[in-house]
Amino acid sequence: MPRSKSTNWFENYPDVLGNVRVNLSSIWSRIDFSAGPDACWTWNGGKHRQGYGMFSARRTHDGHKMMVTVHRILLKEKLGPGCSDDVDAVHTCGNMWCVNPDHLIPGDAKLLVQMQYDRNGKYNCGRPLGAISYTPRKQRYKYELDDLRHLARGQMSVDDFAIKYDMKSWIANHMKKNILAGEKYPWILREMK
C-alpha cells in the first residue's frame, strides 16, 4: 500500500533548527550507536560524494525542500537556539561519517586545517593546500562539444549533425534553435560573443 503524503509538510518536518525544518526522530533512527556513547556514531543514511551524511530539510521561510549535512544539523541541536545558521561543524575525531555531537565543535576552515596538522603532522592529509580532496564526476555528454559548437556557428550543417548522431534532421534543427535561443548549452553562446 503506498504511503499517504501529507498535504501539510509541517507534519513531516516538525523540528525547527535555525533556518531549516527537519525530522530529528528520523535522523536519529539512521544512526548506528553500537560503538558506545564515546565512540564515533556512523550515519547509515544517504551520503554526499565527499562522504558527509545528508538528509532532507525544508527552509523555514518558504518551505523549499533542500539537502543538509547531518553533522551540522546535530551540532545546531547541541548548541541550541543561539547557534547561527552559517555555523561550520568540525569533527574533532577526523571521521567525516561520524555524527556524534560530542565529536563536533563549531569552527572554520582555519581550525580544520590546524586540527588536521595536529593529527597528521601535515596539512590537508598530505595533499597540497587547495587540492580537491574528492574525485569529481566526469562530465559525459551525448554529443561531442566541438560538434555542438560547429552546429551553433553554422560550420556543420544540420543534416551532417543528424547523420553523425543518428537522428532526424528536424531534431537536429530543433537542437540548433534551442542552442541559439540560450535554452540548451548556454556556454556556447557565451563563447560565440
Side-chain angles (χ1 to χ4, degrees):
M1 183 173 174
R3 190 171 68 175
S4 64
K5 290 188 177 180
S6 172
T7 56
N8 187 356
W9 56 266
F10 291 101
E11 296 171 10
N12 295 332
Y13 299 91
D15 306 304
V16 178
L17 294 171
N19 63 349
V20 293
R21 294 181 70 94
V22 294
N23 188 339
L24 284 174
S25 62
S26 183
I27 288 175
W28 288 110
S29 70
R30 295 178 187 187
I31 297 174
D32 180 13
F33 303 101
S34 62
D38 296 331
C40 291
W41 296 346
T42 306
W43 173 251
N44 291 326
K47 292 182 177 77
H48 187 269
R49 66 182 179 182
Q50 290 174 316
Y52 294 107
M54 300 294 288
F55 196 75
S56 68
R58 297 267 186 169
R59 285 195 304 231
T60 53
H61 67 278
D62 64 357
H64 179 76
K65 194 169 186 180
M66 56 192 275
M67 297 300 286
V68 293
T69 53
V70 177
H71 64 283
R72 284 183 73 180
I73 291 295
L74 294 179
L75 180 65
K76 281 184 183 182
E77 184 192 21
K78 173 185 169 183
L79 296 178
C83 178
S84 69
D85 290 330
D86 58 347
V87 65
D88 285 334
V90 177
H91 292 89
T92 58
C93 58
N95 179 2
M96 70 177 72
W97 294 333
C98 176
V99 292
N100 186 342
D102 294 336
H103 293 189
L104 302 171
I105 59 171
D108 58 359
K110 185 177 179 182
L111 176 65
L112 177 64
V113 169
Q114 185 60 45
M115 289 178 69
Q116 286 175 343
Y117 183 78
D118 293 343
R119 247 191 325 270
N120 304 316
K122 49 192 165 189
Y123 288 108
N124 207 10
C125 301
R127 292 181 293 275
L129 288 175
I132 296 175
S133 60
Y134 64 93
T135 306
R137 295 181 193 164
K138 295 195 185 233
Q139 193 73 23
R140 292 192 181 133
Y141 294 99
K142 187 175 181 180
Y143 312 105
E144 291 183 25
L145 301 178
D146 288 335
D147 290 340
L148 289 170
R149 288 185 188 107
H150 295 318
L151 178 67
R153 293 178 181 146
Q155 298 167 341
M156 177 184 251
S157 73
V158 171
D159 293 329
D160 291 341
F161 189 86
I163 290 169
K164 182 170 183 177
Y165 291 104
D166 193 28
M167 64 174 63
K168 298 190 180 197
S169 294
W170 68 270
I171 295 173
N173 191 35
H174 188 68
M175 279 185 65
K176 181 176 180 178
K177 286 180 182 178
N178 284 341
I179 290 171
L180 294 176
E183 294 174 12
K184 272 198 163 193
Y185 312 107
W187 50 267
I188 294 175
L189 284 181
R190 288 193 298 270
E191 285 182 0
M192 291 171 65
K193 292 181 181 178

